[in-house]
Each structure stands twice: as C-alpha cells, then as structure tokens.
Amino acid sequence: SVLCCADDCDSDDRVVSHLVDASPSTVDLEVRSLSPADDGRELRLMLEFFLHALDSHNNFELVQTLLNVFLRA
C-alpha cells in the first residue's frame, strides 16, 4: 500500500500523486485493501491523510471520492 510509507506530512504529496496517476480500479483496490491489522496502522494513516488533505484545502474531489470508497469498505 502506498500509505505504508506515508508517515509524515511531506509524503502526502507522493500519496496524492500516486492516487491521481493510478487507475480507478487500482485506487479502489488500495483503499479496500487497508487492514485493521498491526493495531490499525493503515487505517490510522488513511484517516491522517484525509485530515491533512482537508486541512490543506487541496484535492477536495479526490478526498471526497476516497472517503466514499473508504467508508463503504
């Protein structure tokens, strides 16, 4: 998962770049593959990504789409 290397705010740009460049099916798979294993680390990283992206007021449509997939998974 691309989020596994996203432990700091600087890497959020890399995550956004990856998600924008990836196909919709790849993004869907990435989000649906998040696991609560490892004390929910992947889920926590995804939620932190959402918070940072919303605070930065960038990529609103991307975040909205990802949140939709994330909450349905």
Side-chain angles (χ1 to χ4, degrees):
S1 170
V2 70
L3 289 173
C4 289
C5 62
D7 281 333
D8 57 53
C9 292
D10 295 334
S11 62
D12 282 344
D13 291 336
R14 289 190 313 226
V15 173
V16 169
S17 178
H18 171 75
L19 293 171
V20 168
D21 293 341
S23 69
S25 60
T26 299
V27 173
D28 184 66
L29 179 64
E30 289 268 356
V31 173
R32 291 181 188 276
S33 296
L34 295 174
S35 169
D38 196 18
D39 292 329
R41 181 175 181 269
E42 290 180 349
L43 298 175
R44 179 184 52 81
L45 286 172
M46 189 70 184
L47 291 172
E48 288 175 3
F49 168 77
F50 288 142
L51 289 172
H52 178 74
L54 291 172
D55 284 343
S56 69
H57 301 287
N58 292 324
N59 302 303
F60 177 76
E61 293 83 9
L62 173 66
V63 174
Q64 183 179 21
T65 301
L66 291 172
L67 269 170
N68 186 22
V69 173
F70 180 76
L71 293 173
R72 290 178 188 242

